[in-house]
Amino acid sequence: MSYIDEIIEQVIEKNPDEPEFHQAVREVLDSIRVIVDANEAQFRRDALLERLVNPERQIKFRVPWIDDQGNAHVNTGYRVQFNSAIGPYKGGLRLHPSVNIGIIKFLGFEQIFKNALTGLPIGGGKGGSDFDPKGKSDREIMSFCQSFMSELCKYIGADTDVPAGDIGTGAREIGYMFGQYKRLRGLFEGVLTGKGLSYGGSLARTEATGYGLLYITDALLRDHNVDIKGKTAVVSGAGNVAIYAIEKAQQLGAKVVTCSDSTGWIYDPDGIDVALLKDIKEVRRARLTAYKDARPNAEYHEGRGVWQVKCDVALPCATQNELTLDDAKQLKANGCIAVCEGANMPTTEEATKFLQENGILFIPGKASNCGGVATSALEMSQNSERLSWSFEEVDSKLKGIMENVYANISAAAKKYGMEGNYVAGANIAGFEKVLNAMNAQGIV
Ligand code: NDP
Ligand code: 2IT
């Protein structure tokens, strides 16, 4: 059996009940066969792949907190410090009831290669908790965040591990966590990114993931002689990534007609009203039914369904495995030309294969959503030099980074005879950088 197949089997056997982690490992290892096969003896001797798929460290802890009625609750907290070959661990914190160690490991594993693609010195990590922020008061959120950080603060620091936001963790949560870190460690340092502007945050970090997604989508389309202007896009999600993806798509002249949350979705034939969406999701923290109330021309549907809507470009920005084979077939039937992932691994393995085999341009999340973590790294730079850059400066760096990522993943795919396969290109380009650093640092 090939080294890669052995490792995939091992991962499944040693990490049972973690299907998303298996999926992420399979996708990356499948793409790098050509490099591994050519170096098999050396890689085996160095246990290279074993070191790649086993996190450097996994931390799991109890998070007790007290609700507004005085009742205590216990959630589980996680931080997986996956790979520090090219820099301090970097990656978000997810707060969602579906969080378990397998989810955090899949996200942490993806983060290694994503962070490498940014060209910035950041290693891969991820964390979070099965806590559900929905319906909680600000006081309850603070109670949870303080308790979570009371334990996490022992393992992180500006030069060791720098967490940030993800699903369920936005500016409010980062603020509470930063306050508790500072209080316990006595350090005002860049230990978290996505901070508020008044205490060390970076301009354009809020917008970065969504804007970055559109910068790379635009680069992809231009490379294929397509103008994004006038195109129709469908977006899933209504959170941080989705909102700023919609905003930038509209600035580039596309029309975005959908968004969704965990209970339903909106079809707005006039184009999504971003100011209204921000008010509903960022200020009122309400459901999408409120959108329909304010825009009578729009339709609200329960459940899922955005991929049924006719479009030129599809941008999944909610969560993993939200775009299935049936959805992919529908997109194809509707004439969609490109799918670029804003979320992490939103397209199932079967759907990805179908899109690639049917001539639909496809960029995987580790390349197309890396603008968020790239701008987090820019926030770290600003914190280190105790300066703040203008919005325009950060935004133009972000745009340059995304255009570079597109050029690098295209070139990597081409170099190995897989032109246009951006999944292979992203995995190979990310892996080559990490491999080089791991080899230089010996067996650690
Ligand atoms: P948010 O919490 O801001 O928004 C998440 C959105 O997705 C919400 O609309 C939410 O609906 C919906 N959603 C979440 N889970 C589910 C689910 N299980 N089923 C259906 N809908 C769901 O998170 P972000 O926008 O930050 O993250 C979205 C995706 O982008 C994630 O995959 C994340 O890992 C990825 N990502 C985020 C980055 C960032 O900088 N924030 C960077 C790179 C990737 P509801 O409000 O009802 O829960
Ligand atoms: O998935 C991701 O890249 C993020 N949630 C952002 C991580 C970060 O450190 O900004």
Side-chain angles (χ1 to χ4, degrees):
M1 196 189 290
S2 77
Y3 185 29
I4 285 200
D5 291 321
E6 257 173 50
I7 294 296
I8 293 176
E9 267 197 7
Q10 239 182 60
V11 164
I12 294 171
E13 193 185 309
K14 288 191 174 177
N15 305 270
D17 305 319
E18 297 178 12
E20 294 85 1
F21 181 48
H22 305 164
Q23 184 181 339
V25 168
R26 207 159 38 227
E27 188 211 272
V28 171
L29 295 194
D30 257 339
S31 295
I32 58 171
R33 271 181 203 279
V34 41
I35 301 174
V36 175
D37 289 351
N39 297 277
E40 182 155 342
Q42 188 212 326
F43 285 6
R44 276 187 188 271
R45 190 196 62 207
D46 294 347
L48 192 271
L49 294 183
E50 285 86 341
R51 288 187 291 129
L52 196 69
V53 300
N54 281 290
E56 290 175 19
R57 194 173 297 100
Q58 289 174 220
I59 301 142
K60 180 178 176 186
F61 49 98
R62 183 173 76 196
V63 189
W65 58 277
I66 297 176
D67 69 21
D68 290 345
Q69 284 71 48
N71 301 311
H73 300 265
V74 173
N75 286 98
T76 305
Y78 303 92
R79 186 73 183 166
V80 173
Q81 299 180 328
F82 222 119
N83 188 304
S84 62
I86 65 171
Y89 310 105
K90 184 84 198 81
L93 297 170
R94 178 173 293 191
L95 301 182
H96 193 273
S98 63
V99 164
N100 57 46
I101 188 66
I103 295 280
I104 300 299
K105 274 158 67 183
F106 120 62
L107 290 163
F109 188 70
E110 289 284 285
Q111 201 84 41
I112 302 169
F113 308 98
K114 178 196 305 197
N115 293 3
L117 285 173
T118 66
L120 299 167
I122 38 178
K126 198 83 187 191
S129 173
D130 56 0
F131 174 75
D132 186 0
K134 267 203 205 82
K136 304 286 192 302
S137 70
D138 283 354
R139 262 192 57 152
E140 289 171 329
I141 297 283
M142 184 168 74
S143 169
F144 171 83
C145 289
Q146 290 183 340
S147 180
F148 182 80
M149 185 52 84
S150 296
E151 186 60 26
L152 186 67
C153 76
K154 299 168 190 168
Y155 309 99
I156 62 174
D159 294 313
T160 50
D161 183 355
V162 182
D166 193 80
I167 291 178
T169 306
R172 175 182 57 172
E173 291 73 20
I174 293 292
Y176 292 146
M177 289 183 196
F178 183 80
Q180 185 73 350
Y181 178 86
K182 181 164 59 77
R183 179 187 186 196
L184 292 173
R185 298 284 302 268
L187 290 171
F188 195 113
E189 61 171 1
V191 66
L192 292 160
T193 57
K195 297 184 294 298
L197 298 178
S198 55
Y199 63 95
S202 173
L203 284 160
R205 175 61 187 90
T206 305
E207 294 83 355
T209 311
Y211 278 22
L213 172 65
L214 267 295
Y215 291 143
I216 202 169
T217 302
D218 187 35
L220 168 79
L221 293 179
R222 273 189 282 119
D223 194 31
H224 290 82
N225 302 313
V226 177
D227 190 349
I228 194 169
K229 204 165 172 213
K231 296 287 177 294
T232 299
V234 295
V235 169
S236 65
N240 174 264
V241 180
I243 288 172
Y244 293 95
I246 297 171
E247 182 167 282
K248 182 52 74 178
Q250 292 179 344
Q251 287 172 11
L252 294 176
K255 184 180 191 184
V256 183
V257 292
T258 66
C259 62
S260 65
D261 65 15
S262 52
T263 51
W265 59 284
I266 290 289
Y267 171 67
D268 189 337
D270 302 326
I272 295 291
D273 179 341
V274 181
L276 173 62
L277 189 61
K278 283 184 189 173
D279 180 53
I280 292 169
K281 288 294 175 183
E282 295 182 341
V283 182
R284 289 192 266 154
R285 298 182 190 277
R287 312 304 315 162
L288 281 177
T289 41
Y291 186 95
K292 160 82 187 148
D293 296 341
R295 299 264 289 186
N297 246 355
E299 297 169 14
Y300 173 80
H301 301 272
E302 292 285 330
R304 51 193 301 285
V306 298
W307 314 124
Q308 308 301 310
V309 174
K310 187 168 166 49
C311 67
D312 303 300
V313 177
L315 306 170
C317 297
T319 193
Q320 64 274 358
N321 292 327
E322 53 159 320
L323 198 162
T324 64
L325 179 58
D326 284 345
D327 299 325
K329 288 179 176 166
Q330 189 64 56
L331 287 170
K332 170 75 186 162
N334 285 344
C336 174
I337 55 172
V339 176
C340 300
E341 296 185 327
N344 284 307
M345 211 169 75
T347 313
T348 65
E349 280 172 295
E350 304 76 41
T352 302
K353 195 159 171 275
F354 177 88
L355 294 171
Q356 291 183 312
E357 285 173 356
N358 284 274
I360 296 182
L361 303 169
F362 178 81
I363 304 194
K366 65 170 69 69
S368 45
N369 72 34
C370 78
V373 74
T375 307
S376 278
L378 301 179
E379 182 172 331
M380 290 165 70
S381 300
Q382 293 169 77
N383 292 164
S384 294
E385 61 175 17
R386 287 173 168 38
L387 290 173
S388 303
W389 306 338
S390 68
F391 186 94
E392 291 68 28
E393 187 171 357
V394 180
D395 188 41
S396 84
K397 284 191 162 70
L398 167 64
K399 189 159 186 267
I401 288 168
M402 298 312 295
E403 287 172 351
N404 246 324
V405 171
Y406 179 70
N408 289 340
I409 66 174
S410 304
K414 202 166 174 185
K415 179 175 158 196
Y416 289 96
M418 294 181 273
E419 189 168 357
N421 183 342
Y422 304 108
V423 173
N427 287 328
I428 290 170
F431 173 71
E432 279 186 326
K433 181 162 182 197
V434 175
L435 171 69
N436 193 290
M438 285 177 76
N439 279 340
Q441 292 171 37
I443 311 295
V444 291

